[in-house]
Amino acid sequence: MPMAPPPPGQGGPADGPQAWYMSLPIITRAWFTACVASTLLSAAGMVSPMTLMLSWPEILWRFQIWRVFTCFAFLGKFGWPFVMNLIFVVQYAKILEKDFNGVAADFLWCLMLGGSALCGINHLSGMELPFLTIPLIFMCIWIWSRKHPNAQMSVFG
């Protein structure tokens, strides 16, 4: 038996892209927007990826504090990997944010702690990855899988 579509105004596909976008929880929506915006700006040549990457000398000595945040929002060039990573952000971050009982600050705190741990591991391990968006996405998927151990993971919903 096919599933019934959500009622009008509930963010289903029939309501259009704006309704779907507005139905995303606030932190997931902000992260999704930052990923799309940073990639669009880079693709348009308005922002160089070099100004978005994590660079401790630039952060500490030139006070380019935005790099601490933008390294978690850049997904590289447009293409299939970009689309797949956005799907992962929307699908699993949305569920995980709702698992925090709708308290956006708790989910944001989770992302901040995870991001801090990733920065520390990145630096101490000597890997020095310039962008930590994909590791943060995988962290969210890992936390989701621990909270839902019996759920089947689905890429497309």
Side-chain angles (χ1 to χ4, degrees):
M1 180 174 191
M3 293 181 62
Q10 296 297 317
D15 290 332
Q18 182 179 4
W20 169 82
Y21 177 76
M22 294 309 293
S23 73
L24 294 174
I26 187 73
I27 303 300
T28 302
R29 187 179 340 139
W31 191 14
F32 173 82
T33 303
C35 288
V36 171
S38 65
T39 303
L40 274 173
L41 291 172
S42 173
M46 298 173 73
V47 173
S48 169
M50 298 301 286
T51 62
L52 302 175
M53 68 180 244
L54 183 64
S55 172
W56 289 110
E58 298 291 329
I59 293 168
L60 296 174
W61 308 119
R62 298 187 66 198
F63 303 108
Q64 296 179 358
I65 305 299
W66 68 84
R67 291 175 182 266
V68 175
F69 305 103
T70 57
C71 72
F72 295 107
F74 184 68
L75 285 170
K77 296 180 180 179
F78 284 112
W80 185 247
F82 172 78
V83 171
M84 290 303 298
N85 286 317
L86 278 182
I87 289 171
F88 288 148
V89 166
V90 169
Q91 186 166 351
Y92 294 104
K94 175 177 71 172
I95 294 170
L96 194 55
E97 187 170 352
K98 288 180 181 178
D99 283 347
F100 282 96
N101 297 324
V103 181
D106 289 347
F107 181 60
L108 181 61
W109 182 245
C110 173
L111 289 178
M112 289 171 58
L113 287 178
S116 299
L118 287 170
C119 283
I121 292 168
N122 188 39
H123 183 67
L124 294 175
S125 69
M127 290 190 312
E128 297 297 334
L129 296 172
F131 299 104
L132 298 173
T133 313
I134 294 173
L136 190 64
I137 292 169
F138 286 148
M139 182 206 76
C140 286
I141 293 172
W142 183 81
I143 293 171
W144 172 85
S145 71
R146 302 303 294 171
K147 290 177 87 55
H148 303 277
N150 297 323
Q152 284 187 334
M153 185 174 174
S154 173
V155 175
F156 295 112

